[in-house]
Every structure is written in structure tokens, then in C-alpha cells.
Amino acid sequence: MKSGGLNPIFKIIFFAILIIWGLSVLYPLLWTLLDALKNNDQFFRKMPWSLPDIPLLWSNFTYVWSEFSFDKYFMNSVVVTIGSTLLGLFLAATTAYVLARYQFKGSNFLYLIYIASMMIPFSLALIPLFFLLNSMHLTNSSFGLILVYASTLIAFGVFVLVGFFKSLPKEMEEAAAIDGASYFGIFFKVMLPLSQPGLITVGIVNVLNIWNEYIIGTILVNDPVHYTLPVGIAMMQAQMQYRTEWGPLFAGLLITMVPVLVVYMFFQRQIASGITAGAVK
């Protein structure tokens, strides 16, 4: 065996474990797709994990999209996810930059407050949060959800981005200041582009979390016009009452799952590199 190499037997075992792990992840997705192409008769006549009959019921997806207003739920999720992610990133980046580059009395304590807030279960704040937003007439609105979701993203963003900003050399700020750049110019034109790996990592993690969020959306929104996809799926099952239409229900789950899977597939390298860069720095 070459120095620094890996024994062929260990390679085989390693790849076998990866294949088994990959199949264990793909199987639930494949099972969901197969069940989305069935009707109730196939569910009760066959085993739940059996193959669907021919012709495949692709109409389950159009049925869910139109009859259960998944077109509206999808657009609501897109608007809320993008809006809250951009707002949360902006607030986290500006806060992290100040805490990392400017030392003032209480800056370290303020940073610890942000980190400590990540340990508090958000469910403890749901009731006072509801009354606060209700008094401000921000319940049953996408804008209210964007504000709440953005506020929940700040602590994690600050935690990741402070390390990036601290690692950047101060000479770059000084050079930009000599060239006549203002504080805002230094931040937006110099420091923010250099922290792009951290911004991408925080942004993607936040997108995945917000897209799948259910509890806050259920409590703050009870108007179907502003439902997001996770809330829409729960309402869809409730509307079915005593007869659950399993095929359309699985189709709705796939409509919810596919966007986040696509986002993760395209940006998985950026997530890994961003986290690694933050850890090294």
C-alpha cells in the first residue's frame, strides 16, 4: 500500500456504506413519487409500497395544483422565503460587520447575546409574538411572516459571518478609505463581496429552513390567501375530512419537497465550502 493511500478493502467498505446511505435517502423519495401516481383503490387493494398501475395518474399533480390552491401556496412560499432570506441576510451581515470590525463597549456581550438566543426554543415566544403582531395588524399577511422569519435568521447569520469579517485584512479597508470610500462604500463594495462564501452558506440554510417552516405559519396566518406550502398541505388533509385522497396528498408533498432538493443539489458545494472556510478562518 502506498504511503498516505487507502487500503482497497477499506475503499470497498467505504463506498458500500455510501451506496447504502444514498439508497436509504433516495428510497423515501422514490416511494413518495410512486404513491403520488396512484388512486385510493390501488392503496387499499395492494401493498402501500407496490408499483402503481398503468396508466400512471399524473393528473394527481394538476388536481392538487388547481383544486387545492397549491398554485397560490407555492407563490406565497416563494415570496416569503426570498423576502425573509434577503432581509435576514442584510440585517445579519450589517450586524456581524459592526461586531467584527468595530470594538466598542459591550460589543462582545452583544455578540454573546446573539449566540445565546440560538439556544432558546422559539416556541416560547410564539404567544407574545402573536399578540405583538396582532396589535400591529401584521397577522394574516405575507409581510408579517417575512419580518418574523427574517428576525429568526439574524442570530445564525451573525454567528457565521462574524468569523468571515474578522479574517479579512484591515489593510483593504484602509486602502478603500484612502481612495475616498465612505463607511457604506467600504462595506458594500469591499467587505460584502469578500464574504460571499459565508453569505451563500447562510442564505441557503435559511432558505431550506423557511421553506419547510410550519408552526409559525400556522399560528400567524389563518387566512387561506396567505398560506404557505407546509400549512397548505395540512389544510388539504383537513379538507379531505373522512376520506383521505392519498395520491393527491403525496403529490402535494412532492411539490413541496422538489424545490428545496433542487436548491440543495445546485448549491451543495457552496454550502460545504462556506462552512469549511468559516471553520478554518
Side-chain angles (χ1 to χ4, degrees):
M1 185 174 64
K2 295 182 180 181
S3 177
L6 191 64
N7 191 301
I9 297 178
F10 288 110
K11 283 186 177 181
I12 295 174
I13 296 175
F14 178 72
F15 283 112
I17 293 174
L18 290 180
I19 292 173
I20 294 173
W21 178 263
L23 292 176
S24 67
V25 173
L26 292 176
Y27 173 73
L29 299 176
L30 178 61
W31 182 69
T32 304
L33 175 60
L34 294 178
D35 284 348
L37 302 175
K38 300 178 182 178
N39 55 27
N40 274 9
D41 180 63
Q42 297 179 47
F43 275 97
F44 297 120
R45 182 165 45 87
K46 298 182 177 182
M47 300 299 288
W49 50 83
S50 61
L51 295 176
D53 293 342
I54 304 297
L56 303 176
L57 295 180
W58 295 102
S59 58
N60 283 337
F61 291 92
T62 57
Y63 173 69
V64 168
W65 190 260
S66 59
E67 295 298 324
F68 289 96
S69 302
F70 264 58
D71 54 343
K72 297 180 182 178
Y73 303 157
F74 188 89
M75 289 307 302
N76 290 339
S77 290
V78 170
V79 171
V80 170
T81 301
I82 294 178
S84 55
T85 300
L86 293 178
L87 179 59
L89 276 178
F90 174 76
L91 296 175
T94 52
T95 304
Y97 176 69
V98 171
L99 293 177
R101 310 300 286 189
Y102 298 96
Q103 292 296 322
F104 55 90
K105 188 175 182 180
S107 60
N108 292 331
F109 178 75
L110 185 59
Y111 175 70
L112 292 177
I113 291 295
Y114 277 105
I115 302 305
S117 65
M118 298 172 59
M119 306 177 189
I120 302 175
F122 192 77
S123 57
L124 297 178
L126 286 177
I127 295 178
L129 180 64
F130 172 80
F131 285 109
L132 174 62
L133 291 180
N134 190 47
S135 65
M136 300 171 65
H137 304 287
L138 290 177
T139 55
N140 289 320
S141 70
S142 298
F143 181 66
L145 282 178
I146 289 175
L147 292 180
V148 174
Y149 288 147
S151 65
T152 62
L153 308 179
I154 297 176
F156 175 73
V158 169
F159 173 70
V160 175
L161 295 176
V162 163
F164 278 90
F165 286 125
K166 283 186 176 180
S167 67
L168 300 177
K170 292 184 177 180
E171 289 77 11
M172 303 187 70
E173 290 177 288
E174 295 172 353
I178 293 174
D179 290 337
S182 63
Y183 290 111
F184 291 100
I186 293 174
F187 174 72
F188 286 105
K189 296 181 180 180
V190 179
M191 308 304 289
L192 203 59
L194 292 175
S195 63
Q196 183 178 356
L199 292 173
I200 293 176
T201 301
V202 174
I204 295 174
V205 171
N206 290 339
V207 165
L208 300 180
N209 290 333
I210 295 170
W211 185 269
N212 295 316
E213 203 286 320
Y214 170 76
I215 297 178
I216 298 176
T218 304
I219 293 177
L220 298 183
V221 176
N222 54 32
D223 185 354
V225 175
H226 301 290
Y227 283 164
T228 55
L229 278 174
V231 181
I233 290 178
M235 294 302 105
M236 172 185 172
Q237 189 174 15
Q239 291 173 15
M240 292 176 178
Q241 294 184 354
Y242 303 108
R243 183 179 182 273
T244 300
E245 300 179 59
W246 293 106
L249 188 60
F250 279 102
L253 287 174
L254 272 180
I255 292 175
T256 305
M257 294 163 53
V258 167
V260 293
L261 291 176
V262 171
V263 169
Y264 184 80
M265 287 173 58
F266 278 100
F267 294 99
Q268 58 179 327
R269 292 183 181 274
Q270 285 83 349
I271 295 176
S273 63
I275 295 175
T276 304
V280 172
K281 291 177 180 180

Short mmCIF file of all heavy atoms in Angstrom, two decimals, residues 9-54:
data_model
loop_
_atom_site.label_atom_id
_atom_site.label_comp_id
_atom_site.label_asym_id
_atom_site.label_seq_id
_atom_site.Cartn_x
_atom_site.Cartn_y
_atom_site.Cartn_z
N ILE A 9 -9.54 -2.70 0.43
CA ILE A 9 -10.67 -3.28 1.18
C ILE A 9 -11.44 -2.17 1.88
O ILE A 9 -12.68 -2.15 1.87
CB ILE A 9 -10.15 -4.32 2.20
CG1 ILE A 9 -9.48 -5.48 1.47
CG2 ILE A 9 -11.31 -4.81 3.07
CD1 ILE A 9 -8.90 -6.53 2.39
N PHE A 10 -10.72 -1.23 2.49
CA PHE A 10 -11.38 -0.11 3.15
C PHE A 10 -12.12 0.77 2.14
O PHE A 10 -13.18 1.33 2.45
CB PHE A 10 -10.37 0.71 3.95
CG PHE A 10 -9.87 0.02 5.18
CD1 PHE A 10 -8.56 -0.43 5.25
CD2 PHE A 10 -10.71 -0.19 6.27
CE1 PHE A 10 -8.10 -1.07 6.38
CE2 PHE A 10 -10.24 -0.82 7.40
CZ PHE A 10 -8.93 -1.29 7.46
N LYS A 11 -11.56 0.89 0.93
CA LYS A 11 -12.24 1.66 -0.11
C LYS A 11 -13.57 1.01 -0.47
O LYS A 11 -14.60 1.69 -0.60
CB LYS A 11 -11.37 1.76 -1.37
CG LYS A 11 -10.24 2.76 -1.27
CD LYS A 11 -9.53 2.87 -2.61
CE LYS A 11 -8.43 3.92 -2.56
NZ LYS A 11 -7.74 4.07 -3.87
N ILE A 12 -13.56 -0.31 -0.62
CA ILE A 12 -14.79 -1.03 -0.96
C ILE A 12 -15.82 -0.86 0.14
O ILE A 12 -17.01 -0.60 -0.12
CB ILE A 12 -14.48 -2.52 -1.22
CG1 ILE A 12 -13.59 -2.67 -2.45
CG2 ILE A 12 -15.78 -3.31 -1.39
CD1 ILE A 12 -13.12 -4.09 -2.69
N ILE A 13 -15.38 -1.02 1.39
CA ILE A 13 -16.31 -0.86 2.52
C ILE A 13 -16.85 0.56 2.58
O ILE A 13 -18.05 0.78 2.80
CB ILE A 13 -15.60 -1.23 3.84
CG1 ILE A 13 -15.21 -2.71 3.84
CG2 ILE A 13 -16.50 -0.91 5.04
CD1 ILE A 13 -14.39 -3.13 5.04
N PHE A 14 -15.97 1.53 2.35
CA PHE A 14 -16.38 2.93 2.40
C PHE A 14 -17.43 3.24 1.34
O PHE A 14 -18.47 3.84 1.63
CB PHE A 14 -15.14 3.81 2.21
CG PHE A 14 -15.43 5.28 2.20
CD1 PHE A 14 -15.77 5.95 3.37
CD2 PHE A 14 -15.37 6.00 1.02
CE1 PHE A 14 -16.05 7.30 3.35
CE2 PHE A 14 -15.65 7.35 0.99
CZ PHE A 14 -15.99 8.00 2.17
N PHE A 15 -17.17 2.80 0.09
CA PHE A 15 -18.12 3.06 -0.99
C PHE A 15 -19.42 2.28 -0.79
O PHE A 15 -20.49 2.74 -1.16
CB PHE A 15 -17.50 2.73 -2.34
CG PHE A 15 -16.54 3.77 -2.82
CD1 PHE A 15 -15.18 3.50 -2.91
CD2 PHE A 15 -16.98 5.04 -3.18
CE1 PHE A 15 -14.28 4.47 -3.35
CE2 PHE A 15 -16.09 6.02 -3.62
CZ PHE A 15 -14.74 5.73 -3.70
N ALA A 16 -19.32 1.09 -0.21
CA ALA A 16 -20.54 0.31 0.07
C ALA A 16 -21.42 1.04 1.10
O ALA A 16 -22.65 1.08 0.95
CB ALA A 16 -20.16 -1.08 0.58
N ILE A 17 -20.78 1.61 2.10
CA ILE A 17 -21.54 2.37 3.11
C ILE A 17 -22.20 3.59 2.47
O ILE A 17 -23.37 3.90 2.75
CB ILE A 17 -20.62 2.79 4.27
CG1 ILE A 17 -20.16 1.56 5.04
CG2 ILE A 17 -21.34 3.76 5.21
CD1 ILE A 17 -19.13 1.85 6.12
N LEU A 18 -21.46 4.27 1.58
CA LEU A 18 -22.03 5.44 0.90
C LEU A 18 -23.21 5.05 0.02
O LEU A 18 -24.22 5.77 -0.05
CB LEU A 18 -20.95 6.13 0.06
CG LEU A 18 -19.84 6.87 0.83
CD1 LEU A 18 -18.87 7.51 -0.16
CD2 LEU A 18 -20.43 7.93 1.74
N ILE A 19 -23.09 3.92 -0.68
CA ILE A 19 -24.19 3.47 -1.54
C ILE A 19 -25.42 3.13 -0.71
O ILE A 19 -26.55 3.51 -1.06
CB ILE A 19 -23.74 2.26 -2.38
CG1 ILE A 19 -22.68 2.70 -3.41
CG2 ILE A 19 -24.93 1.62 -3.09
CD1 ILE A 19 -22.06 1.54 -4.17
N ILE A 20 -25.21 2.42 0.39
CA ILE A 20 -26.34 2.07 1.27
C ILE A 20 -26.99 3.33 1.83
O ILE A 20 -28.23 3.45 1.88
CB ILE A 20 -25.87 1.13 2.40
CG1 ILE A 20 -25.41 -0.21 1.82
CG2 ILE A 20 -26.98 0.93 3.42
CD1 ILE A 20 -24.78 -1.12 2.84
N TRP A 21 -26.16 4.27 2.23
CA TRP A 21 -26.69 5.53 2.77
C TRP A 21 -27.47 6.29 1.69
O TRP A 21 -28.55 6.82 1.96
CB TRP A 21 -25.54 6.39 3.30
CG TRP A 21 -25.99 7.72 3.81
CD1 TRP A 21 -25.97 8.92 3.15
CD2 TRP A 21 -26.53 7.99 5.09
NE1 TRP A 21 -26.46 9.92 3.93
CE2 TRP A 21 -26.82 9.39 5.14
CE3 TRP A 21 -26.80 7.22 6.21
CZ2 TRP A 21 -27.37 9.99 6.26
CZ3 TRP A 21 -27.35 7.82 7.32
CH2 TRP A 21 -27.63 9.19 7.35
N GLY A 22 -26.91 6.32 0.47
CA GLY A 22 -27.62 7.01 -0.61
C GLY A 22 -28.95 6.36 -0.94
O GLY A 22 -29.95 7.06 -1.15
N LEU A 23 -29.00 5.03 -0.96
CA LEU A 23 -30.25 4.33 -1.23
C LEU A 23 -31.27 4.57 -0.12
O LEU A 23 -32.48 4.70 -0.40
CB LEU A 23 -29.99 2.83 -1.39
CG LEU A 23 -29.20 2.41 -2.63
CD1 LEU A 23 -28.92 0.92 -2.62
CD2 LEU A 23 -29.95 2.80 -3.90
N SER A 24 -30.80 4.63 1.12
CA SER A 24 -31.72 4.88 2.24
C SER A 24 -32.33 6.28 2.16
O SER A 24 -33.43 6.51 2.67
CB SER A 24 -30.99 4.69 3.57
OG SER A 24 -29.99 5.70 3.75
N VAL A 25 -31.60 7.22 1.54
CA VAL A 25 -32.13 8.58 1.36
C VAL A 25 -33.05 8.66 0.16
O VAL A 25 -34.10 9.31 0.20
CB VAL A 25 -30.97 9.59 1.22
CG1 VAL A 25 -31.49 10.97 0.87
CG2 VAL A 25 -30.16 9.64 2.52
N LEU A 26 -32.69 7.96 -0.93
CA LEU A 26 -33.48 8.02 -2.15
C LEU A 26 -34.76 7.21 -2.07
O LEU A 26 -35.75 7.54 -2.72
CB LEU A 26 -32.64 7.54 -3.34
CG LEU A 26 -31.46 8.42 -3.75
CD1 LEU A 26 -30.67 7.77 -4.87
CD2 LEU A 26 -31.97 9.79 -4.20
N TYR A 27 -34.77 6.15 -1.28
CA TYR A 27 -35.94 5.28 -1.24
C TYR A 27 -37.21 6.02 -0.81
O TYR A 27 -38.26 5.86 -1.46
CB TYR A 27 -35.69 4.08 -0.33
CG TYR A 27 -36.92 3.24 -0.12
CD1 TYR A 27 -37.41 2.42 -1.14
CD2 TYR A 27 -37.61 3.28 1.09
CE1 TYR A 27 -38.55 1.66 -0.96
CE2 TYR A 27 -38.76 2.53 1.27
CZ TYR A 27 -39.23 1.72 0.25
OH TYR A 27 -40.36 0.99 0.43
N PRO A 28 -37.19 6.81 0.29
CA PRO A 28 -38.43 7.53 0.65
C PRO A 28 -38.91 8.48 -0.45
O PRO A 28 -40.13 8.62 -0.65
CB PRO A 28 -38.03 8.30 1.92
CG PRO A 28 -36.87 7.56 2.47
CD PRO A 28 -36.14 7.04 1.27
N LEU A 29 -37.97 9.10 -1.16
CA LEU A 29 -38.37 9.99 -2.26
C LEU A 29 -39.01 9.21 -3.40
O LEU A 29 -40.04 9.63 -3.95
CB LEU A 29 -37.15 10.76 -2.77
CG LEU A 29 -36.44 11.66 -1.76
CD1 LEU A 29 -35.21 12.29 -2.39
CD2 LEU A 29 -37.38 12.73 -1.24
N LEU A 30 -38.42 8.07 -3.75
CA LEU A 30 -38.99 7.23 -4.81
C LEU A 30 -40.35 6.70 -4.39
O LEU A 30 -41.29 6.66 -5.20
CB LEU A 30 -38.03 6.09 -5.14
CG LEU A 30 -38.50 5.10 -6.21
CD1 LEU A 30 -38.71 5.81 -7.54
CD2 LEU A 30 -37.50 3.96 -6.36
N TRP A 31 -40.46 6.29 -3.14
CA TRP A 31 -41.74 5.76 -2.63
C TRP A 31 -42.82 6.85 -2.66
O TRP A 31 -43.97 6.58 -3.01
CB TRP A 31 -41.52 5.26 -1.20
CG TRP A 31 -42.73 4.65 -0.58
CD1 TRP A 31 -43.34 3.47 -0.92
CD2 TRP A 31 -43.49 5.20 0.50
NE1 TRP A 31 -44.43 3.26 -0.11
CE2 TRP A 31 -44.55 4.29 0.77
CE3 TRP A 31 -43.37 6.35 1.27
CZ2 TRP A 31 -45.47 4.52 1.77
CZ3 TRP A 31 -44.29 6.58 2.28
CH2 TRP A 31 -45.34 5.67 2.53
N THR A 32 -42.45 8.07 -2.32
CA THR A 32 -43.41 9.18 -2.38
C THR A 32 -43.87 9.43 -3.82
O THR A 32 -45.06 9.67 -4.07
CB THR A 32 -42.77 10.46 -1.81
OG1 THR A 32 -42.32 10.21 -0.47
CG2 THR A 32 -43.78 11.60 -1.78
N LEU A 33 -42.93 9.38 -4.78
CA LEU A 33 -43.28 9.58 -6.18
C LEU A 33 -44.22 8.49 -6.68
O LEU A 33 -45.22 8.77 -7.36
CB LEU A 33 -42.01 9.62 -7.04
CG LEU A 33 -42.23 9.69 -8.56
CD1 LEU A 33 -42.99 10.96 -8.93
CD2 LEU A 33 -40.90 9.62 -9.29
N LEU A 34 -43.93 7.24 -6.35
CA LEU A 34 -44.77 6.14 -6.79
C LEU A 34 -46.18 6.24 -6.20
O LEU A 34 -47.17 6.01 -6.90
CB LEU A 34 -44.13 4.80 -6.41
CG LEU A 34 -42.81 4.45 -7.10
CD1 LEU A 34 -42.26 3.13 -6.58
CD2 LEU A 34 -42.99 4.40 -8.61
N ASP A 35 -46.27 6.63 -4.94
CA ASP A 35 -47.58 6.76 -4.30
C ASP A 35 -48.35 7.96 -4.84
O ASP A 35 -49.58 7.98 -4.79
CB ASP A 35 -47.42 6.87 -2.79
CG ASP A 35 -47.10 5.53 -2.15
OD1 ASP A 35 -47.22 4.51 -2.84
OD2 ASP A 35 -46.73 5.50 -0.96
N ALA A 36 -47.64 8.96 -5.33
CA ALA A 36 -48.31 10.12 -5.91
C ALA A 36 -48.98 9.80 -7.23
O ALA A 36 -49.79 10.59 -7.72
CB ALA A 36 -47.32 11.27 -6.09
N LEU A 37 -48.65 8.65 -7.82
CA LEU A 37 -49.20 8.26 -9.12
C LEU A 37 -50.29 7.20 -8.99
O LEU A 37 -50.64 6.54 -9.97
CB LEU A 37 -48.07 7.73 -10.02
CG LEU A 37 -46.91 8.71 -10.26
CD1 LEU A 37 -45.80 8.05 -11.04
CD2 LEU A 37 -47.41 9.96 -10.97
N LYS A 38 -50.83 7.03 -7.78
CA LYS A 38 -51.86 6.02 -7.54
C LYS A 38 -53.18 6.69 -7.18
O LYS A 38 -53.23 7.88 -6.83
CB LYS A 38 -51.45 5.09 -6.39
CG LYS A 38 -50.17 4.31 -6.60
CD LYS A 38 -49.86 3.49 -5.37
CE LYS A 38 -48.56 2.72 -5.51
NZ LYS A 38 -48.24 1.95 -4.29
N ASN A 39 -54.25 5.88 -7.22
CA ASN A 39 -55.53 6.31 -6.65
C ASN A 39 -55.80 5.52 -5.38
O ASN A 39 -55.04 4.61 -5.02
CB ASN A 39 -56.67 6.13 -7.66
CG ASN A 39 -56.76 4.70 -8.19
OD1 ASN A 39 -56.35 3.76 -7.52
ND2 ASN A 39 -57.28 4.54 -9.39
N ASN A 40 -56.87 5.84 -4.68
CA ASN A 40 -57.15 5.18 -3.41
C ASN A 40 -57.39 3.69 -3.56
O ASN A 40 -57.06 2.90 -2.67
CB ASN A 40 -58.36 5.84 -2.75
CG ASN A 40 -57.97 7.05 -1.93
OD1 ASN A 40 -56.82 7.50 -1.98
ND2 ASN A 40 -58.90 7.60 -1.17
N ASP A 41 -57.96 3.28 -4.68
CA ASP A 41 -58.22 1.86 -4.90
C ASP A 41 -56.93 1.07 -4.91
O ASP A 41 -56.85 -0.03 -4.35
CB ASP A 41 -58.97 1.68 -6.23
CG ASP A 41 -59.25 0.22 -6.50
OD1 ASP A 41 -59.99 -0.40 -5.70
OD2 ASP A 41 -58.72 -0.31 -7.50
N GLN A 42 -55.87 1.62 -5.51
CA GLN A 42 -54.58 0.93 -5.52
C GLN A 42 -53.96 0.87 -4.14
O GLN A 42 -53.28 -0.10 -3.80
CB GLN A 42 -53.64 1.63 -6.50
CG GLN A 42 -54.09 1.60 -7.94
CD GLN A 42 -53.13 2.33 -8.87
OE1 GLN A 42 -51.92 2.13 -8.81
NE2 GLN A 42 -53.68 3.19 -9.72
N PHE A 43 -54.17 1.89 -3.32
CA PHE A 43 -53.63 1.87 -1.96
C PHE A 43 -54.25 0.76 -1.13
O PHE A 43 -53.56 0.07 -0.37
CB PHE A 43 -53.88 3.22 -1.28
CG PHE A 43 -52.84 4.26 -1.57
CD1 PHE A 43 -53.03 5.19 -2.57
CD2 PHE A 43 -51.66 4.29 -0.85
CE1 PHE A 43 -52.07 6.14 -2.84
CE2 PHE A 43 -50.68 5.24 -1.12
CZ PHE A 43 -50.89 6.18 -2.12
N PHE A 44 -55.57 0.58 -1.25
CA PHE A 44 -56.26 -0.39 -0.41
C PHE A 44 -56.24 -1.80 -1.01
O PHE A 44 -56.37 -2.78 -0.28
CB PHE A 44 -57.70 0.05 -0.19
CG PHE A 44 -57.80 1.35 0.56
CD1 PHE A 44 -58.43 2.45 -0.01
CD2 PHE A 44 -57.25 1.50 1.82
CE1 PHE A 44 -58.51 3.66 0.66
CE2 PHE A 44 -57.33 2.71 2.50
CZ PHE A 44 -57.96 3.78 1.93
N ARG A 45 -56.06 -1.89 -2.33
CA ARG A 45 -56.06 -3.20 -2.99
C ARG A 45 -54.68 -3.84 -2.96
O ARG A 45 -54.57 -5.07 -2.95
CB ARG A 45 -56.55 -3.03 -4.43
CG ARG A 45 -56.66 -4.31 -5.22
CD ARG A 45 -57.49 -4.09 -6.49
NE ARG A 45 -57.12 -2.87 -7.19
CZ ARG A 45 -56.15 -2.79 -8.09
NH1 ARG A 45 -55.42 -3.86 -8.37
NH2 ARG A 45 -55.91 -1.65 -8.71
N LYS A 46 -53.63 -3.02 -2.92
CA LYS A 46 -52.26 -3.52 -2.93
C LYS A 46 -51.53 -3.06 -1.69
O LYS A 46 -52.05 -2.32 -0.86
CB LYS A 46 -51.51 -3.03 -4.18
CG LYS A 46 -52.11 -3.50 -5.50
CD LYS A 46 -51.26 -2.98 -6.65
CE LYS A 46 -51.76 -3.47 -7.99
NZ LYS A 46 -50.90 -2.99 -9.10
N MET A 47 -50.29 -3.50 -1.61
CA MET A 47 -49.43 -3.02 -0.53
C MET A 47 -49.04 -1.57 -0.81
O MET A 47 -48.88 -1.18 -1.97
CB MET A 47 -48.17 -3.88 -0.42
CG MET A 47 -48.45 -5.35 -0.14
SD MET A 47 -49.33 -5.58 1.43
CE MET A 47 -48.02 -5.21 2.59
N PRO A 48 -48.84 -0.75 0.24
CA PRO A 48 -48.53 0.68 0.02
C PRO A 48 -47.26 0.91 -0.78
O PRO A 48 -47.13 1.93 -1.46
CB PRO A 48 -48.40 1.23 1.45
CG PRO A 48 -49.18 0.28 2.29
CD PRO A 48 -49.02 -1.07 1.65
N TRP A 49 -46.29 -0.02 -0.72
CA TRP A 49 -45.03 0.19 -1.42
C TRP A 49 -44.98 -0.52 -2.78
O TRP A 49 -43.93 -0.64 -3.39
CB TRP A 49 -43.86 -0.30 -0.56
CG TRP A 49 -44.05 -1.68 0.00
CD1 TRP A 49 -43.81 -2.86 -0.62
CD2 TRP A 49 -44.55 -1.99 1.29
NE1 TRP A 49 -44.12 -3.90 0.20
CE2 TRP A 49 -44.57 -3.40 1.39
CE3 TRP A 49 -44.96 -1.22 2.39
CZ2 TRP A 49 -45.01 -4.06 2.54
CZ3 TRP A 49 -45.41 -1.87 3.52
CH2 TRP A 49 -45.43 -3.28 3.61
N SER A 50 -46.13 -0.98 -3.27
CA SER A 50 -46.18 -1.64 -4.58
C SER A 50 -46.12 -0.60 -5.70
O SER A 50 -46.37 0.59 -5.49
CB SER A 50 -47.46 -2.47 -4.70
OG SER A 50 -48.59 -1.63 -4.60
N LEU A 51 -45.80 -1.07 -6.91
CA LEU A 51 -45.73 -0.17 -8.06
C LEU A 51 -47.13 0.27 -8.48
O LEU A 51 -48.09 -0.50 -8.36
CB LEU A 51 -45.03 -0.88 -9.23
CG LEU A 51 -43.56 -1.24 -9.02
CD1 LEU A 51 -43.03 -2.01 -10.22
CD2 LEU A 51 -42.72 0.02 -8.80
N PRO A 52 -47.27 1.49 -9.00
CA PRO A 52 -48.59 1.96 -9.44
C PRO A 52 -49.01 1.27 -10.74
O PRO A 52 -48.19 0.79 -11.51
CB PRO A 52 -48.37 3.46 -9.65
CG PRO A 52 -46.92 3.59 -9.93
CD PRO A 52 -46.23 2.52 -9.14
N ASP A 53 -50.31 1.23 -10.95
CA ASP A 53 -50.85 0.65 -12.18
C ASP A 53 -50.63 1.60 -13.36
O ASP A 53 -50.45 2.80 -13.20
CB ASP A 53 -52.35 0.36 -12.02
CG ASP A 53 -52.61 -0.74 -11.01
OD1 ASP A 53 -51.66 -1.51 -10.70
OD2 ASP A 53 -53.75 -0.83 -10.51
N ILE A 54 -50.67 0.99 -14.55
CA ILE A 54 -50.60 1.75 -15.78
C ILE A 54 -52.02 2.00 -16.29
O ILE A 54 -52.83 1.08 -16.29
CB ILE A 54 -49.79 1.00 -16.85
CG1 ILE A 54 -48.39 0.65 -16.32
CG2 ILE A 54 -49.67 1.82 -18.12
CD1 ILE A 54 -47.53 1.84 -15.99
#
